[in-house]
Amino acid sequence: MKAKYFIIGLAAALLAGMGATAQTAIHLATAGTLKDTSGIKTVTHLTLTGVIDTRDVKFMRDSMVVLAELDLSGATVVRYEGKNGTSSSSSSSVAYPANEMPQYSFCRNSTGKTTLISVKLPAGLTSIGEMAFSNCSGLKELTLPAGLTAIGSDAFYNCSGLEELTLPAGLTAIGSYAFQSCSGLKELTFPAGLTSIGSYAFQSCSGLDSVTNLSLTPQHIENSVFDGVSIENIALTVPDSAVASYKSANVWKDFGSSSSNGITGGGVLLSVKPSNAALGSVSGVLLSGLYPAGTAVSVTAAPASGYSFWGWTSGGATLSASATLSFTLTQDTIITASFGKSGSYKLAEAGTLKDMSGIESVTHLTLTGAIDARDVKFMRNAMPFLTELDLSEAIVVAYEGEGGTYPWGYYSYPANEMPQH
């Protein structure tokens, strides 16, 4: 580790002599404007906060040629639709969802950004698009946010420099080829909520020597998932209550088959996660893992600025409204800290939702009065955390113009119809 940082420091010093800037922190009030920052192209260590979209990521990928360390943990990815994003298809308009690391983020024409060494992804990120970091072979440190739910196909293909990987508790799906040829990976822990692992997801991860799966039910996977990996020599650790299930499950049953270790129980499952990492956090000595029955657990929820803690839940039932939850672990336990911000607005004039103070951060929205396609577009594009929407008392009025949901300019939107797109 010391050698690594010596090399980084030496490289930074050399780059400084070439006009490069080692450390820069930038706050973007408007997405798509990173390119307008003076001297940004020569930055090696960048911390970005505020709002970003695929245009900013494309700029980092293509124009910041010495970018080595990137911290996006304080940034929010907003929606963008157009031809100026990271997609390999530049001839047609592409829609890039909010809270998703864009497809081809740091991979262009199958060539990864090999200068990248360390990346911290946005706290509110929920998904990573296909090929996002494909062939970024220099990437050694990766911080995935707690609220991440999906990793797209080929997202980290051939990131051979990765040695450690912590998959967050909220992750539910890993796409095909997602970590193929990540030959440096040594240890791997699958979270309790993971339900889907795509074909060839960990093919040729030849460095693996330890795997833990926290899921109480073995995921149904194809033989190709660990193709090229000697799983017969790798011990698999699972919750005590799930050992028998793994010993009879396809592929999983073959782990450790040539050794005396095989498949073993590591204890009782504990999984603690926030509903969305951008809205709040959870803390405690023990959060997610396998522990002995009878272990004392104390966890605390802390909402982010502007949000409220709504309680601890498990299986849809509320456990407690207190920010600190203490209990003795006696059985497999999966709990979530729920955070949110409610907003109720009556629009006297359609098209004015964007003018409501603080509306962008609302998670649970009730709208009454008159709305049109402009308000719907604002909810779609500029409210990245919106999870519940009540329009039952709103009236959709007609609108004609270029400010609606239609992606190709001017359009006539009828009254009493939910706008297209």
Side-chain angles (χ1 to χ4, degrees):
M1 186 63 72
K2 289 182 179 179
K4 173 199 156 184
Y5 285 107
F6 172 77
I7 292 171
I8 293 175
L10 179 60
L14 291 173
L15 288 167
M18 298 163 55
T21 305
Q23 189 85 33
T24 299
I26 296 171
H27 179 84
L28 293 186
T30 304
T33 60
L34 181 62
K35 61 180 174 57
D36 301 326
T37 304
S38 177
I40 188 65
K41 290 184 178 181
T42 58
V43 168
T44 60
H45 296 54
L46 175 64
T47 297
L48 262 187
T49 58
V51 289
I52 65 172
D53 65 24
T54 183
R55 293 170 294 176
D56 301 303
V57 178
K58 180 181 180 181
F59 180 82
M60 288 185 275
R61 182 192 69 187
D62 298 346
S63 300
M64 298 182 67
V65 295
V66 291
L67 183 62
E69 297 195 10
L70 176 62
D71 184 351
L72 299 176
S73 58
T76 298
V77 179
V78 296
R79 189 181 188 275
Y80 169 78
E81 188 166 340
K83 298 180 180 180
N84 299 317
T86 53
S87 172
S88 58
S89 175
S90 58
S91 59
S92 57
S93 181
V94 176
Y96 300 85
N99 297 319
E100 177 175 288
M101 205 64 197
Q103 55 178 291
Y104 298 92
S105 285
F106 290 97
C107 179
R108 181 182 183 185
N109 298 327
S110 297
T111 300
K113 193 170 185 65
T114 56
T115 60
L116 274 182
I117 296 172
S118 173
V119 173
K120 294 180 180 179
L121 293 177
L125 206 70
T126 57
S127 59
I128 298 174
E130 65 176 3
M131 300 284 289
F133 294 89
S134 185
N135 287 312
C136 290
S137 56
L139 185 62
K140 295 184 180 298
E141 296 181 1
L142 174 66
T143 302
L144 300 175
L148 187 70
T149 61
I151 297 175
S153 60
D154 295 279
F156 296 96
Y157 166 77
N158 196 34
C159 288
S160 54
L162 276 179
E163 296 182 0
E164 300 177 8
L165 178 66
T166 300
L167 297 174
L171 189 67
T172 61
I174 297 175
S176 299
Y177 304 94
F179 294 94
Q180 184 188 35
S181 298
C182 289
S183 54
L185 275 181
K186 293 178 171 56
E187 298 182 3
L188 184 60
T189 298
F190 294 112
L194 185 67
T195 57
S196 174
I197 305 175
S199 58
Y200 300 98
F202 294 91
Q203 183 189 38
S204 299
C205 290
S206 53
L208 276 177
D209 56 26
S210 175
V211 174
T212 298
N213 197 331
L214 301 181
S215 177
L216 296 173
T217 302
Q219 299 88 355
H220 177 74
I221 60 175
E222 300 176 5
N223 294 333
S224 65
V225 168
F226 293 101
D227 186 44
V229 180
S230 301
I231 61 174
E232 69 276 6
N233 298 322
I234 300 175
L236 175 64
T237 304
V238 301
D240 289 345
S241 61
V243 171
S245 297
Y246 279 89
K247 285 186 174 180
S248 61
N250 186 48
V251 182
W252 300 112
K253 65 183 179 182
D254 298 325
F255 272 83
S257 57
S258 67
S259 68
S260 58
N261 293 328
I263 301 173
T264 59
V268 179
L269 170 68
L270 173 65
S271 179
V272 184
K273 61 182 180 179
S275 57
N276 187 311
L279 312 185
S281 61
V282 294
S283 61
V285 176
L286 308 178
L287 288 177
S288 293
L290 301 174
Y291 307 100
T295 297
V297 177
S298 181
V299 291
T300 300
S305 177
Y307 293 94
S308 300
F309 170 63
W310 287 349
W312 294 99
T313 62
S314 179
T318 299
L319 301 178
S320 173
S322 174
T324 297
L325 179 66
S326 299
F327 59 94
T328 299
L329 188 65
T330 59
Q331 60 183 5
D332 297 320
T333 302
I334 301 175
I335 56 178
T336 301
S338 296
F339 302 100
K341 176 182 177 181
S342 295
S344 183
Y345 301 86
K346 182 176 181 179
L347 298 187
E349 181 181 349
T352 60
L353 181 62
K354 61 180 175 56
D355 300 325
M356 301 295 110
S357 177
I359 186 66
E360 294 89 347
S361 58
V362 168
T363 61
H364 294 59
L365 175 64
T366 299
L367 269 185
T368 57
I371 66 171
D372 64 23
R374 293 170 294 177
D375 302 303
V376 177
K377 179 181 180 180
F378 181 83
M379 288 185 277
R380 183 193 70 187
N381 291 3
M383 298 183 68
F385 306 124
L386 184 63
T387 55
E388 292 191 15
L389 176 62
D390 184 354
L391 299 176
S392 59
E393 299 297 320
I395 299 173
V396 179
V397 298
Y399 168 72
E400 192 168 331
E402 298 184 353
T405 52
Y406 187 67
W408 297 288
Y410 193 93
Y411 194 78
S412 179
Y413 302 87
N416 299 316
E417 177 179 289
M418 209 57 192
Q420 60 173 289
H421 299 278

